Coordinates of all heavy atoms in Angstrom, one line a residue:
D28 N 166.3 90.2 50.3 CA 166.6 88.9 49.9 C 167.7 88.2 50.6 O 168.8 88.0 50.1 CB 166.8 88.8 48.4 CG 167.9 89.7 47.9 OD1 168.5 90.4 48.7 OD2 168.2 89.7 46.7
N29 N 167.5 87.9 51.9 CA 168.5 87.2 52.7 C 169.8 88.0 53.0 O 170.8 87.3 53.0 CB 168.7 85.8 52.2 CG 167.5 85.0 52.3 OD1 166.7 85.1 53.2 ND2 167.4 84.1 51.3
H30 N 169.7 89.3 53.1 CA 170.9 90.1 53.4 C 170.7 91.0 54.5 O 169.5 91.4 54.8 CB 171.4 90.9 52.1 CG 171.9 90.1 51.0 ND1 171.1 89.6 50.0 CD2 173.2 89.6 50.8 CE1 171.9 88.9 49.2 NE2 173.1 88.9 49.7
I31 N 171.7 91.3 55.2 CA 171.7 92.3 56.3 C 172.7 93.4 55.9 O 173.8 93.1 55.5 CB 172.0 91.7 57.7 CG1 171.7 92.8 58.8 CG2 173.3 91.1 57.8 CD1 171.6 92.2 60.2
I32 N 172.2 94.6 56.1 CA 173.1 95.8 55.7 C 173.4 96.6 56.9 O 172.4 97.0 57.6 CB 172.4 96.6 54.6 CG1 172.1 95.7 53.3 CG2 173.2 97.8 54.2 CD1 171.3 96.3 52.3
T33 N 174.6 96.9 57.1 CA 175.0 97.7 58.3 C 175.9 98.9 57.8 O 176.6 98.8 56.9 CB 175.8 96.9 59.3 OG1 176.9 96.3 58.7 CG2 175.0 95.8 59.9
G34 N 175.7 100.0 58.5 CA 176.5 101.2 58.3 C 177.4 101.3 59.5 O 177.0 101.4 60.6
L35 N 178.7 101.3 59.2 CA 179.7 101.4 60.3 C 180.2 102.8 60.5 O 180.2 103.6 59.6 CB 180.9 100.5 59.9 CG 180.6 99.0 59.6 CD1 181.8 98.3 59.2 CD2 179.8 98.4 60.7
H36 N 180.6 103.1 61.7 CA 181.0 104.5 62.1 C 182.2 104.9 61.3 O 182.4 106.1 61.0 CB 181.3 104.5 63.6 CG 181.4 105.9 64.1 ND1 182.5 106.6 64.2 CD2 180.4 106.8 64.5 CE1 182.3 107.8 64.7 NE2 181.0 108.0 64.8
D37 N 183.0 104.0 60.8 CA 184.2 104.4 60.0 C 183.8 104.6 58.5 O 184.7 104.9 57.7 CB 185.3 103.3 60.1 CG 184.9 102.0 59.4 OD1 183.8 101.8 58.9 OD2 185.8 101.1 59.5
G38 N 182.5 104.7 58.2 CA 182.1 105.0 56.8 C 181.9 103.9 55.9 O 181.7 104.1 54.7
K39 N 182.0 102.7 56.3 CA 181.8 101.5 55.5 C 180.4 101.0 55.6 O 179.8 101.0 56.7 CB 182.8 100.4 55.8 CG 184.2 100.8 55.4 CD 185.2 99.6 55.7 CE 186.6 99.9 55.3 NZ 187.2 100.9 56.2
I40 N 179.9 100.5 54.5 CA 178.6 99.8 54.4 C 178.9 98.4 54.2 O 179.6 98.1 53.2 CB 177.7 100.4 53.3 CG1 177.3 101.8 53.5 CG2 176.4 99.5 53.2 CD1 176.7 102.5 52.3
H41 N 178.4 97.5 55.0 CA 178.7 96.0 54.8 C 177.3 95.4 54.5 O 176.3 95.6 55.1 CB 179.2 95.4 56.1 CG 180.7 95.6 56.2 ND1 181.4 95.2 57.3 CD2 181.6 96.3 55.4 CE1 182.7 95.5 57.2 NE2 182.8 96.2 56.1
I42 N 177.4 94.6 53.4 CA 176.2 93.8 53.0 C 176.6 92.3 53.2 O 177.6 91.8 52.6 CB 175.8 94.0 51.6 CG1 175.5 95.5 51.4 CG2 174.7 93.2 51.2 CD1 175.4 96.0 50.0
R43 N 175.9 91.6 54.1 CA 176.3 90.3 54.5 C 175.1 89.3 54.2 O 173.9 89.7 54.3 CB 176.6 90.2 56.0 CG 177.8 90.9 56.4 CD 178.2 90.8 57.8 NE 179.4 91.5 58.2 CZ 180.6 91.0 58.0 NH1 180.8 89.8 57.5 NH2 181.7 91.7 58.3
D44 N 175.4 88.1 54.0 CA 174.4 87.0 53.8 C 173.9 86.7 55.2 O 174.6 86.5 56.1 CB 175.1 85.8 53.2 CG 174.1 84.7 53.0 OD1 173.4 84.2 54.0 OD2 174.0 84.2 51.8
I45 N 172.6 86.8 55.4 CA 172.0 86.7 56.7 C 172.1 85.3 57.2 O 172.0 85.0 58.4 CB 170.5 87.2 56.7 CG1 170.1 87.5 58.1 CG2 169.6 86.2 56.0 CD1 168.8 88.4 58.1
N46 N 172.2 84.3 56.3 CA 172.3 82.9 56.7 C 173.6 82.5 57.3 O 173.7 81.7 58.2 CB 171.9 82.0 55.6 CG 170.4 82.3 55.1 OD1 169.5 82.3 56.0 ND2 170.2 82.5 53.9
N47 N 174.7 82.9 56.6 CA 176.0 82.5 57.0 C 176.9 83.6 57.5 O 178.0 83.4 58.0 CB 176.7 81.7 55.9 CG 176.9 82.5 54.7 OD1 177.0 83.7 54.7 ND2 177.0 81.9 53.5
G48 N 176.5 84.9 57.5 CA 177.2 86.0 57.9 C 178.4 86.4 57.0 O 179.1 87.4 57.4
R49 N 178.6 85.8 55.9 CA 179.7 86.2 55.0 C 179.4 87.5 54.4 O 178.3 87.9 54.0 CB 179.8 85.1 53.9 CG 180.4 83.8 54.5 CD 180.9 83.0 53.3 NE 181.3 81.7 53.9 CZ 180.8 80.5 53.6 NH1 179.7 80.4 52.8 NH2 181.2 79.4 54.2
L50 N 180.5 88.3 54.3 CA 180.5 89.6 53.7 C 180.4 89.4 52.2 O 181.2 88.8 51.5 CB 181.8 90.4 54.0 CG 181.9 91.8 53.5 CD1 180.8 92.7 54.1 CD2 183.3 92.3 53.7
Q51 N 179.3 90.0 51.6 CA 179.0 89.9 50.2 C 179.6 91.1 49.4 O 180.0 91.0 48.3 CB 177.5 89.8 49.9 CG 176.9 88.6 50.6 CD 177.3 87.3 50.0 OE1 177.3 87.1 48.8 NE2 177.8 86.4 50.8
L52 N 179.5 92.3 50.1 CA 179.9 93.5 49.5 C 180.3 94.6 50.5 O 179.6 94.6 51.6 CB 178.8 94.1 48.6 CG 179.0 95.4 47.8 CD1 180.1 95.2 46.8 CD2 177.7 95.8 47.2
A53 N 181.3 95.3 50.3 CA 181.7 96.4 51.2 C 181.8 97.7 50.4 O 182.4 97.7 49.3 CB 183.0 96.2 51.9
I54 N 181.1 98.8 50.8 CA 181.2 100.1 50.2 C 181.8 101.0 51.1 O 181.4 101.2 52.3 CB 179.8 100.5 49.8 CG1 179.1 99.6 48.9 CG2 179.8 101.9 49.2 CD1 177.6 99.9 48.6
N55 N 182.9 101.7 50.7 CA 183.6 102.7 51.5 C 183.0 104.1 51.1 O 183.3 104.6 50.1 CB 185.1 102.6 51.3 CG 185.8 103.5 52.4 OD1 185.2 104.1 53.2 ND2 187.1 103.5 52.3
T56 N 182.3 104.7 52.0 CA 181.7 106.0 51.8 C 182.6 107.1 52.1 O 182.4 108.3 51.7 CB 180.4 106.2 52.5 OG1 180.7 106.3 53.9 CG2 179.4 105.0 52.3
N57 N 183.7 106.9 52.9 CA 184.6 107.9 53.4 C 183.9 108.9 54.3 O 184.4 110.0 54.4 CB 185.3 108.6 52.3 CG 186.2 107.6 51.5 OD1 186.9 106.8 52.1 ND2 186.2 107.6 50.2
N58 N 182.8 108.6 54.9 CA 182.1 109.5 55.8 C 181.5 108.7 57.0 O 181.2 107.5 56.9 CB 180.9 110.1 55.1 CG 181.3 111.0 53.9 OD1 181.9 112.0 54.1 ND2 181.1 110.5 52.7
I59 N 181.4 109.4 58.1 CA 180.8 108.8 59.3 C 179.3 108.6 58.9 O 178.7 109.4 58.3 CB 180.8 109.8 60.5 CG1 182.3 109.9 60.9 CG2 180.0 109.3 61.6 CD1 182.5 111.1 61.9
I60 N 178.8 107.4 59.3 CA 177.4 107.1 59.0 C 176.5 107.2 60.2 O 176.7 106.5 61.2 CB 177.3 105.7 58.4 CG1 178.0 105.6 57.1 CG2 175.8 105.3 58.2 CD1 178.1 104.2 56.5
N61 N 175.6 108.2 60.2 CA 174.6 108.4 61.3 C 173.3 107.7 61.1 O 172.7 107.2 62.0 CB 174.3 109.9 61.5 CG 175.4 110.7 62.1 OD1 176.4 110.2 62.5 ND2 175.2 112.0 62.2
S62 N 172.9 107.6 59.8 CA 171.7 107.0 59.4 C 171.9 106.2 58.2 O 172.7 106.5 57.3 CB 170.6 108.0 59.2 OG 170.2 108.7 60.3
L63 N 171.1 105.1 58.1 CA 171.1 104.2 56.9 C 169.7 103.8 56.6 O 169.0 103.3 57.5 CB 172.1 103.0 57.1 CG 172.3 102.1 55.9 CD1 173.7 101.6 55.8 CD2 171.3 101.0 55.9
I64 N 169.3 104.0 55.3 CA 167.9 103.6 54.9 C 168.0 102.8 53.6 O 168.8 103.2 52.7 CB 167.1 104.9 54.7 CG1 166.9 105.7 55.9 CG2 165.7 104.5 54.1 CD1 166.2 107.0 55.7
L65 N 167.3 101.7 53.6 CA 167.1 101.0 52.3 C 166.0 101.7 51.6 O 164.9 101.8 52.1 CB 166.8 99.5 52.6 CG 168.0 98.7 53.1 CD1 167.5 97.3 53.3 CD2 169.2 98.8 52.2
H66 N 166.2 102.0 50.3 CA 165.2 102.6 49.5 C 164.9 101.7 48.4 O 165.7 101.5 47.5 CB 165.6 104.0 49.1 CG 164.6 104.7 48.3 ND1 163.4 105.2 48.9 CD2 164.5 105.1 47.0 CE1 162.7 105.8 48.0 NE2 163.3 105.7 46.8
G67 N 163.7 101.2 48.3 CA 163.3 100.2 47.3 C 164.2 99.0 47.5 O 164.6 98.6 48.6
D68 N 164.5 98.3 46.4 CA 165.4 97.1 46.5 C 166.7 97.3 45.9 O 167.5 96.4 45.7 CB 164.7 95.9 45.9 CG 164.4 96.1 44.4 OD1 164.6 97.2 43.9 OD2 163.9 95.1 43.8
N69 N 167.1 98.6 45.6 CA 168.4 98.8 45.0 C 169.1 100.0 45.4 O 170.2 100.3 44.8 CB 168.2 98.8 43.4 CG 167.4 100.0 43.0 OD1 166.6 100.6 43.7 ND2 167.5 100.3 41.7
Q70 N 168.7 100.7 46.4 CA 169.4 101.9 46.8 C 169.5 102.0 48.4 O 168.7 101.5 49.1 CB 168.6 103.2 46.4 CG 168.6 103.4 44.9 CD 167.9 104.7 44.5 OE1 167.2 105.3 45.3 NE2 168.1 105.1 43.3
I71 N 170.7 102.5 48.8 CA 171.0 102.7 50.2 C 171.2 104.2 50.3 O 172.0 104.8 49.6 CB 172.3 102.0 50.6 CG1 172.2 100.5 50.4 CG2 172.6 102.3 52.1 CD1 173.5 99.8 50.5
I72 N 170.5 104.8 51.3 CA 170.7 106.2 51.6 C 171.4 106.3 52.9 O 170.9 105.7 53.9 CB 169.3 107.0 51.7 CG1 168.5 106.8 50.3 CG2 169.5 108.4 52.0 CD1 167.1 107.3 50.4
I73 N 172.5 107.0 52.9 CA 173.2 107.2 54.2 C 173.3 108.7 54.6 O 173.3 109.6 53.7 CB 174.7 106.6 54.2 CG1 175.5 107.4 53.1 CG2 174.7 105.2 53.9 CD1 176.9 107.7 53.6
G74 N 173.2 109.0 55.9 CA 173.3 110.3 56.4 C 174.6 110.4 57.2 O 174.8 109.5 58.1
S75 N 175.4 111.4 57.0 CA 176.5 111.7 57.8 C 176.3 113.1 58.4 O 175.4 113.8 58.0 CB 177.8 111.6 57.0 OG 178.0 112.7 56.2
P76 N 177.2 113.6 59.3 CA 176.9 114.9 59.9 C 176.8 116.0 58.9 O 176.1 117.0 59.1 CB 178.1 115.1 60.8 CG 178.5 113.7 61.2 CD 178.3 112.9 60.0
T77 N 177.5 115.9 57.7 CA 177.5 117.0 56.8 C 177.0 116.7 55.4 O 176.9 117.6 54.6 CB 179.0 117.5 56.6 OG1 179.8 116.4 56.1 CG2 179.6 118.0 57.9
L78 N 176.5 115.5 55.1 CA 175.9 115.2 53.8 C 175.1 114.0 53.8 O 175.1 113.2 54.8 CB 177.0 115.1 52.8 CG 178.1 114.0 53.0 CD1 177.7 112.7 52.5 CD2 179.4 114.5 52.2
V79 N 174.3 113.8 52.8 CA 173.5 112.6 52.5 C 173.9 112.1 51.2 O 174.1 112.8 50.2 CB 172.0 113.0 52.5 CG1 171.1 111.8 52.1 CG2 171.5 113.5 53.8
Q80 N 174.1 110.8 51.1 CA 174.5 110.1 49.8 C 173.5 109.0 49.5 O 173.0 108.3 50.4 CB 175.9 109.5 49.9 CG 177.0 110.6 50.1 CD 178.3 110.0 50.3 OE1 178.5 109.0 50.9 NE2 179.3 110.6 49.7
I81 N 173.3 108.8 48.2 CA 172.5 107.7 47.7 C 173.4 106.8 46.9 O 174.1 107.2 46.0 CB 171.3 108.2 46.9 CG1 170.4 109.1 47.7 CG2 170.5 107.0 46.4 CD1 169.3 109.8 46.9
W82 N 173.5 105.5 47.3 CA 174.3 104.5 46.7 C 173.5 103.4 46.1 O 172.4 103.0 46.6 CB 175.2 103.8 47.8 CG 176.2 104.8 48.4 CD1 176.0 105.6 49.4 CD2 177.6 105.0 48.0 NE1 177.1 106.3 49.7 CE2 178.1 106.0 48.9 CE3 178.4 104.4 47.1 CZ2 179.4 106.4 48.8 CZ3 179.7 104.8 47.0 CH2 180.2 105.8 47.8
D83 N 174.0 102.9 44.9 CA 173.3 101.7 44.3 C 173.8 100.5 45.1 O 174.9 100.2 45.2 CB 173.7 101.6 42.8 CG 173.0 100.5 42.1 OD1 173.3 99.3 42.4 OD2 172.1 100.9 41.3
L84 N 172.8 99.7 45.5 CA 173.0 98.5 46.4 C 173.7 97.4 45.6 O 174.5 96.7 46.1 CB 171.7 98.0 46.9 CG 171.7 96.7 47.7 CD1 172.5 96.9 49.0 CD2 170.3 96.3 48.0
H85 N 173.5 97.3 44.3 CA 174.0 96.2 43.5 C 175.4 96.5 42.8 O 176.2 95.7 42.7 CB 173.0 95.8 42.4 CG 171.7 95.4 43.1 ND1 171.6 94.3 43.8 CD2 170.5 96.0 43.0 CE1 170.3 94.2 44.2 NE2 169.6 95.2 43.8
T86 N 175.6 97.8 42.5 CA 176.8 98.2 41.8 C 177.9 98.9 42.6 O 179.0 99.2 42.2 CB 176.5 99.1 40.5 OG1 176.0 100.3 41.0 CG2 175.5 98.4 39.6
S87 N 177.5 99.4 43.8 CA 178.3 100.2 44.7 C 178.5 101.6 44.2 O 179.4 102.3 44.6 CB 179.6 99.5 45.0 OG 179.5 98.2 45.5
E88 N 177.8 102.0 43.2 CA 178.0 103.3 42.6 C 177.3 104.4 43.4 O 176.2 104.2 43.9 CB 177.4 103.3 41.2 CG 177.5 104.6 40.5 CD 176.8 104.6 39.1 OE1 176.2 103.6 38.7 OE2 176.8 105.6 38.4
L89 N 178.0 105.5 43.6 CA 177.5 106.7 44.3 C 176.6 107.4 43.3 O 177.0 107.8 42.2 CB 178.6 107.6 44.8 CG 178.1 108.9 45.4 CD1 177.3 108.7 46.6 CD2 179.3 109.8 45.8
L90 N 175.3 107.5 43.6 CA 174.3 108.1 42.7 C 174.1 109.5 42.9 O 173.9 110.3 41.9 CB 173.0 107.3 42.8 CG 173.0 105.8 42.5 CD1 171.7 105.2 42.8 CD2 173.5 105.5 41.1
K91 N 174.1 110.0 44.1 CA 173.8 111.4 44.4 C 174.3 111.8 45.8 O 174.3 111.0 46.7 CB 172.2 111.6 44.4 CG 171.7 113.0 44.6 CD 171.8 113.7 43.3 CE 171.2 115.1 43.4 NZ 171.4 116.0 42.4
T92 N 174.8 113.0 45.9 CA 175.2 113.6 47.1 C 174.5 114.9 47.4 O 174.4 115.7 46.5 CB 176.8 113.9 47.1 OG1 177.4 112.6 46.9 CG2 177.2 114.5 48.4
F93 N 174.0 115.1 48.6 CA 173.4 116.3 49.0 C 174.3 116.8 50.2 O 174.5 116.1 51.2 CB 172.0 116.1 49.6 CG 171.0 115.5 48.6 CD1 170.9 114.1 48.5 CD2 170.3 116.3 47.7 CE1 170.0 113.5 47.6 CE2 169.5 115.7 46.8 CZ 169.3 114.4 46.7
N94 N 174.8 118.1 50.1 CA 175.6 118.7 51.1 C 174.6 119.3 52.2 O 173.6 119.8 51.8 CB 176.5 119.7 50.6 CG 177.6 119.0 49.8 OD1 178.2 118.0 50.2 ND2 177.9 119.6 48.6
N95 N 175.1 119.2 53.4 CA 174.3 119.8 54.5 C 175.1 120.9 55.1 O 176.3 121.0 55.0 CB 174.1 118.7 55.6 CG 173.2 119.1 56.7 OD1 172.2 119.8 56.5 ND2 173.6 118.8 57.9
N96 N 174.4 121.8 55.8 CA 175.0 123.0 56.4 C 175.9 122.4 57.6 O 175.4 121.8 58.5 CB 173.9 123.9 57.0 CG 174.5 125.1 57.7 OD1 175.6 125.1 58.1 ND2 173.6 126.0 58.0
Q97 N 177.2 122.7 57.5 CA 178.1 122.2 58.5 C 177.9 122.8 59.9 O 178.4 122.3 60.9 CB 179.6 122.4 58.1 CG 179.9 121.5 56.9 CD 181.3 121.7 56.5 OE1 182.1 122.3 57.1 NE2 181.7 121.1 55.4
E98 N 177.2 123.9 60.0 CA 177.0 124.5 61.3 C 175.9 123.8 62.0 O 175.7 123.9 63.3 CB 176.6 126.0 61.1 CG 177.8 126.9 60.6 CD 177.4 128.3 60.5 OE1 176.3 128.7 61.0 OE2 178.1 129.0 59.8
N99 N 175.0 123.1 61.3 CA 173.9 122.3 61.9 C 174.0 120.9 61.4 O 173.4 120.5 60.4 CB 172.6 122.9 61.4 CG 172.4 124.3 61.9 OD1 172.5 124.6 63.1 ND2 172.1 125.3 61.0
P100 N 174.8 120.1 62.1 CA 175.1 118.7 61.6 C 173.8 117.9 61.6 O 172.9 118.1 62.4 CB 176.0 118.1 62.7 CG 176.5 119.3 63.5 CD 175.6 120.4 63.3
L101 N 173.8 117.0 60.6 CA 172.7 116.1 60.4 C 172.7 115.0 61.5 O 173.7 114.4 61.8 CB 172.8 115.4 59.0 CG 171.7 114.5 58.6 CD1 170.4 115.3 58.4 CD2 172.1 113.8 57.3
D102 N 171.5 114.7 62.1 CA 171.4 113.6 63.1 C 170.8 112.4 62.5 O 171.2 111.3 62.8 CB 170.6 114.1 64.3 CG 171.3 115.1 65.2 OD1 172.6 115.0 65.3 OD2 170.7 116.0 65.7
E103 N 169.7 112.6 61.7 CA 169.0 111.4 61.2 C 168.2 111.8 59.9 O 167.9 112.9 59.7 CB 168.0 111.0 62.3 CG 167.2 109.7 62.0 CD 166.3 109.4 63.1 OE1 166.2 110.1 64.1 OE2 165.7 108.3 63.0
I104 N 168.0 110.8 59.1 CA 167.2 111.0 57.9 C 166.1 110.0 57.9 O 166.2 108.9 58.4 CB 168.0 110.9 56.6 CG1 168.8 109.6 56.5 CG2 168.9 112.1 56.4 CD1 169.5 109.3 55.2
K105 N 165.0 110.3 57.2 CA 163.8 109.5 57.0 C 163.4 109.6 55.6 O 163.5 110.7 55.0 CB 162.7 109.8 57.9 CG 163.0 109.8 59.4 CD 162.7 108.4 59.9 CE 162.9 108.5 61.5 NZ 163.1 107.2 62.0
T106 N 162.8 108.6 55.0 CA 162.1 108.8 53.7 C 160.6 108.6 53.9 O 160.2 107.8 54.8 CB 162.6 107.7 52.7 OG1 162.4 106.4 53.2 CG2 164.1 108.0 52.4
I107 N 159.9 109.2 53.1 CA 158.4 109.1 53.1 C 158.0 108.3 51.8 O 158.3 108.8 50.7 CB 157.7 110.5 53.1 CG1 158.2 111.2 54.4 CG2 156.2 110.3 53.1 CD1 157.8 112.7 54.4
A108 N 157.5 107.1 52.0 CA 157.3 106.2 50.9 C 156.3 106.8 49.9 O 156.3 106.5 48.7 CB 156.9 104.9 51.4
A109 N 155.3 107.6 50.3 CA 154.3 108.1 49.4 C 154.7 108.8 48.2 O 154.2 108.6 47.1 CB 153.3 109.0 50.2
N110 N 155.8 109.6 48.3 CA 156.3 110.3 47.2 C 157.8 110.4 47.1 O 158.3 111.3 46.5 CB 155.7 111.7 47.1 CG 156.0 112.5 48.3 OD1 156.8 112.1 49.2 ND2 155.6 113.8 48.4
D111 N 158.4 109.4 47.7 CA 159.9 109.3 47.7 C 160.6 110.6 48.2 O 161.6 111.0 47.7 CB 160.4 109.0 46.3 CG 160.1 107.5 45.9 OD1 159.9 106.7 46.8 OD2 160.0 107.3 44.7
T112 N 160.0 111.2 49.2 CA 160.6 112.4 49.8 C 161.6 112.1 50.9 O 161.3 111.2 51.7 CB 159.5 113.3 50.3 OG1 158.6 113.6 49.3 CG2 160.0 114.6 50.9
M113 N 162.7 112.8 50.9 CA 163.7 112.5 52.0 C 163.6 113.7 52.9 O 163.5 114.9 52.5 CB 165.1 112.5 51.4 CG 166.1 112.1 52.4 SD 167.7 111.7 51.7 CE 167.8 112.6 50.1
V114 N 163.5 113.4 54.2 CA 163.4 114.5 55.3 C 164.6 114.4 56.1 O 165.0 113.3 56.6 CB 162.1 114.2 56.1 CG1 162.0 115.3 57.2 CG2 160.9 114.2 55.2

């Protein structure tokens, strides 16, 4: 709905109005962001080298954290819409 969402390398998620570029919301994840996925219309999934987090787009609340093996850093995440599976 007229927003652009970016994941910054310093761990911030910025949600901006696509029409005027104004920052609407900033979420500080405190992690490097390698991947960012919009899930439905109310969740942001971010992947960092060592974890995956799910954030509520409207409240900025951290909903879930999945830890990753630090010996094998995470490069990218994908979701499969058919059954809400995260890969």
Side-chain angles (χ1 to χ4, degrees):
D28 56 358
N29 294 327
H30 289 92
I31 186 166
I32 301 171
T33 55
L35 308 177
H36 196 263
D37 66 0
K39 291 184 178 70
I40 299 169
H41 281 178
I42 302 167
R43 296 183 178 274
D44 184 300
I45 202 164
N46 297 310
N47 61 26
R49 288 194 184 115
L50 183 63
Q51 302 292 309
L52 180 65
I54 301 171
N55 190 1
T56 70
N57 295 317
N58 295 290
I59 294 169
I60 298 175
N61 286 357
S62 292
L63 184 143
I64 297 172
L65 290 178
H66 183 69
D68 62 354
N69 64 342
Q70 293 180 347
I71 301 169
I72 303 172
I73 63 136
S75 76
T77 59
L78 55 86
V79 173
Q80 295 177 322
I81 302 174
W82 295 83
D83 186 290
L84 175 63
H85 303 291
T86 67
S87 308
E88 178 184 0
L89 176 60
L90 301 174
K91 184 80 175 169
T92 298
F93 300 93
N94 290 317
N95 186 40
N96 180 346
Q97 293 184 6
E98 292 179 16
N99 298 304
L101 181 70
D102 288 326
E103 187 177 3
I104 55 175
K105 300 270 187 201
T106 58
I107 301 170
N110 61 1
D111 291 336
T112 300
M113 185 168 30
V114 181

